[in-house]
Amino acid sequence: MEEVDVEPTVTNIPGIRYGKHMGFAWGPGDILVYETQFKASGPSLSGPAGPFIHQVRKDEDIYSPILRKLFNESHHIFVGLQTIKEDLPSKSKRTQFVSISRNYRSVIRACMEELQQVAVSTRDTEMATQYGNQVSILLAIELIWNLCEVLYIDAAPAGSLLLHLLDWVRLHKADVDEKARDVLQSNSPAEHHNYWDVVVSYVLQGSLVEARQMLVKQATLQPASRNTYKLMDSLLGKMPFFNPGGTETVTEFDVKWSNWHKEVESYLKDNSFASNHHLELICKILVGDEDTLLEQKELLSTWYHFLVTRLLYCHPTVKPFELHYYAQSCLTMFLDSRSVQEPLDSILLAAFEYDICLVIKDCSIVLNNWWFVAHLTDLLDHCKLLHSHNLNFGSNMREFLLLEYASGLFTHHSLWQCAVDYFDHCPELGRACLELQIERVPLDTERKALKVLRICEERQMSEQVRSICKIMAMRALRNNRLGSALSWSIRAKDAAFATLISERFLQDYCAKGTFSDLDLIDNLGPAMLLSDRLTFLGKYREFHKLYGEKRFKEAAKLLLSLMTAKIAPQSFWMTLLTDALPLLEQTEVIFSADQTNELMYCLEELTSSLNSTAPGADRPMQQEDVEQTKVELLRLSLARNLAMAVVKEGTMET
């Protein structure tokens, strides 16, 4: 989309003094603004001068609880739209697209009604104004969307087109029904001051059944004019409306309508209603007299209502390609020279001109968020109405707008999950944007981290998976939650970090004499192969289980293999040899002669490495005495066990 030469929106930041220099820092969805110590005589940027940091958000709507419902509900509709199969017949697809469009509009209307209720009930004047502004925006959004639905999605042909436009005007001109209720609920409806306004308004909208029902009340009140009212009732009742489901062609309807129109003109020329200026006014409206219609500006209120009324009584079989001519002329006629054309007028005019791209462009400039243009463009793209429109920077219009909208959602603490699906359905740049945005999601809780992780795993985003797991593992380690840290490091397949945490587990065991997080260690399974230290941790825990189950021979074999296979760190050998002491002291010989020799070799290797270290260099004297005592006890137990094993094995051989 080309650059638009417009002034940027001014955002006043409270509490900032005039003439002060400001500093700022960009965030993913906002700007942090602060007052600096910069002076005109020379820079002095030692830090912020003011006590406050102000947050300036670019998309405030996503923080509104009511509008969040709009974003959540429309997300489900969007996902459903993406599942429509391409090979469906065009007629079936059009029916589905119209249904989806109406679903979007029903969500808009539901949010609008809730905002109106809150605006009325709140006592906060500022909040009431804010809600009122949001209602006005949603009203405009639904008005534009509904027109786009009529013109582009449903693509009504001549004859049906006017019926759809009448429904469009009636839906957005609900004040007539409110006035009618007031009139009918009064003691004497025909004498109510708004009576004729209601009747004329119904005629201007083409709601002739309602107009006739109102006229009956006036006819009853004036018996002398009963025939005049009866004639008007006959003309209103005979006005033909095109039936899209019938067998009548547009040409046949046109002939029937022309005959009715000539009949109305004849009664007007004959001054049949001259005795009642109200009925004469209605007759002039029925013949489509432009001056009379323009005199009803107050009741019509908008140029597009004037357009539809003019088409109804002058050109009921208007063709889609003719709309732009009538729309432009009605806009010119309705707005006087002093009136300024509003942005909404320009958007609606562009819609009547079938310039879809201009509609989207103008809406992107005027509206305060990307929700409307993103969803409407996506729907129009599915209807193959934007298929050829590409932008100059590698993406089509649909994808560009969806990416912008989804990026805004990612700044919200809960709506970011909805944004993921929007990125998923942007084939060109969606994955790259998701990878960048997912890294910005604050991992406040483990539950949220698991949600982010699941999203990354489902999309095979391996780098992001590793990054998340490392962050959570490091956080758990800092909080001394070793089990959680180990679980995250295994999930990240980070061998180095798994080794570090395994070391911490072993240190913790040495200090306390027991393992924490036994369930996790007991169920490591194939994950223990991630690193040698993790393998040792798992196997060492297995040794304790075998010992607890009094499966001493299996426990002894596993303990020895941990040392001889060099899986156990040498710093842990003394602990392993100490664990062997209860097995060596059993009445039954557990270690064979060969196994005992291997243990003795390990002990000597350990003592020689300890002796090679300068005495007292790293360890206190008391610790050296304890270790020396352990070594002496081990030697004694090993020698005794070796003698018993040799005797036992020799006896068995003989």
Side-chain angles (χ1 to χ4, degrees), residues 71-72 75 78-79 405-406 409 414-423:
F71 302 136
N72 279 314
H75 162 254
F78 169 83
V79 173
Y405 173 65
L409 291 183
S414 64
L415 292 174
W416 67 269
Q417 295 175 82
C418 296
V420 173
D421 287 318
Y422 290 95
F423 284 128

Side-chain angles (χ1 to χ4, degrees), residues 9 41 60 109 133 144 152 159-160 189 197-198 216 295 304 324 330 334 375 398 415 456 466 507 556 603:
T9 304
S41 58
E60 189 69 21
R109 191 154 283 274
N133 292 337
I144 300 165
Y152 311 141
S160 300
D197 281 352
V198 170
V216 168
E295 287 171 6
Y304 47 89
H324 71 94
C330 285
F334 197 83
H375 289 87
R398 169 193 174 272
L415 292 174
C456 295
R466 279 195 289 272
Q507 291 170 13
L603 178 61

Side-chain angles (χ1 to χ4, degrees), residues 530-545:
L530 184 61
S531 76
D532 288 346
R533 198 66 82 248
L534 188 56
T535 304
F536 169 70
L537 178 64
K539 290 295 181 183
Y540 185 54
R541 169 58 189 155
E542 192 179 324
F543 159 77
H544 278 279
K545 286 175 71 177

Side-chain angles (χ1 to χ4, degrees), residues 47-60:
F52 303 109
I53 295 178
H54 305 272
Q55 185 178 25
V56 182
R57 289 170 173 161
K58 70 174 184 181
D59 192 353
E60 189 69 21

Side-chain angles (χ1 to χ4, degrees), residues 175-176 179-180 183 192-204 214 278 281 296 298-300:
D175 59 328
V176 181
K179 278 186 182 179
V183 170
H192 195 279
H193 66 279
N194 281 330
Y195 171 80
W196 283 108
D197 281 352
V198 170
V199 174
V200 173
S201 294
Y202 275 138
V203 174
L204 291 170
M214 294 293 288
H278 292 296
L281 171 67
Q296 307 306 312
E298 191 174 336
L299 295 179
L300 289 167

